[in-house]
Amino acid sequence: MKSLLLLPASTTEEETLRECSVPLNIVVVFADTVLAKKSAQIYNELIEQFAPDCVFTASWWKFDRLLQTDLFETVRRAAAEADIVMVAAYAGEDLPEAVKGWIELSLCKSAKPDRLLIALLGVSNDGWPVDSAANRYLRAAAREAGMEFLQRWVAAPFHMAEGRLESLDRRARTITPVLAEILSHT
């Protein structure tokens, strides 16, 4: 399992304590509860790696909450002040426009140095993508905002997003060569 290293390896214990005297702010936005749970695992890894030296504050927001004007602004301000922003999305899908707008408004309007954007990308169990539209977008957003970028692929079971029901139906009706051979036997 990969460990997350956010502080320089040569940091002394005294420097770590001084750097962590202020809470480390984390904002997580996620597509659904499956990815929220995967995000929580990474959050717990951070706590294990840096506790008890650091104090963490975290806020968790589902993508659809960004469609609400008042919450959009709240989450935008939180992300502008965050040390770590984590976006948990499915690799096979592009980010929703509301999430892209939120990223553009919150990440680039921060004067806070040494920030990290984590792209947590859920993939199906049948393959690990090399790259995706969501990953490319988040990498470019981090570069534009002057943030460090970390991508992490996680196995996420099939979910029923818009358009997925049709995809599932199409897959169920597909007759592969192996299935055709099985069906042809009497």
Side-chain angles (χ1 to χ4, degrees), residues 64-78:
D64 62 2
R65 304 293 290 212
L66 297 175
L67 296 172
Q68 300 172 9
T69 308
D70 56 333
L71 290 179
F72 181 94
E73 184 57 27
T74 300
V75 182
R76 187 203 62 77
R77 280 194 306 267

Side-chain angles (χ1 to χ4, degrees), residues 5-6 83-85 107 113-119 138-139 141-143 145-151:
L5 184 59
L6 302 177
D83 300 291
I84 300 171
V85 175
L107 298 188
D114 302 325
R115 297 171 14 124
L116 173 66
L117 175 62
I118 299 174
L138 292 168
R139 186 182 317 112
R143 186 175 42 251
M147 298 174 74
E148 293 293 321
F149 180 72
L150 174 67
Q151 66 188 23

Side-chain angles (χ1 to χ4, degrees), residues 6-178:
L6 302 177
L7 297 176
S10 63
T11 305
T12 66
E13 185 175 332
E14 182 180 304
E15 289 170 329
T16 302
L17 289 173
R18 186 170 52 250
E19 288 178 6
C20 291
S21 62
V22 175
L24 196 60
N25 296 317
I26 301 173
V27 172
V28 181
V29 293
F30 56 91
D32 61 18
T33 54
V34 170
L35 289 174
K37 288 177 184 177
K38 299 290 184 179
S39 302
Q41 291 171 351
I42 292 192
Y43 177 75
N44 290 333
E45 288 176 19
L46 290 170
I47 290 174
E48 286 176 21
Q49 185 173 350
F50 296 106
D53 299 330
C54 291
V55 175
F56 293 87
T57 60
S59 60
W60 301 76
W61 303 92
K62 192 171 180 188
F63 284 174
D64 62 2
R65 304 293 290 212
L66 297 175
L67 296 172
Q68 300 172 9
T69 308
D70 56 333
L71 290 179
F72 181 94
E73 184 57 27
T74 300
V75 182
R76 187 203 62 77
R77 280 194 306 267
E81 294 301 315
D83 300 291
I84 300 171
V85 175
M86 187 182 318
V87 178
Y90 286 95
E93 301 171 4
D94 200 3
L95 294 172
E97 291 303 316
V99 175
K100 288 181 177 181
W102 171 79
I103 288 169
E104 290 167 11
L105 290 172
S106 57
L107 298 188
C108 294
K109 295 193 176 194
S110 177
K112 196 168 196 168
D114 302 325
R115 297 171 14 124
L116 173 66
L117 175 62
I118 299 174
L120 180 67
L121 301 165
V123 294
S124 63
N125 294 333
D126 53 348
W128 298 92
V130 174
D131 207 0
S132 69
N135 188 42
R136 286 188 302 273
Y137 180 85
L138 292 168
R139 186 182 317 112
R143 186 175 42 251
E144 188 174 321
M147 298 174 74
E148 293 293 321
F149 180 72
L150 174 67
Q151 66 188 23
R152 182 128 175 219
W153 307 98
V154 294
F158 185 78
H159 70 291
M160 294 295 176
E162 290 180 38
R164 292 290 205 156
L165 217 40
E166 294 82 11
S167 173
L168 182 60
D169 183 55
R170 186 174 57 251
R171 288 178 60 194
R173 294 178 189 279
T174 301
I175 297 178
T176 64
V178 172

Side-chain angles (χ1 to χ4, degrees), residues 174-186:
T174 301
I175 297 178
T176 64
V178 172
L179 181 57
E181 185 178 330
I182 292 170
L183 294 173
S184 68
H185 282 91
T186 55

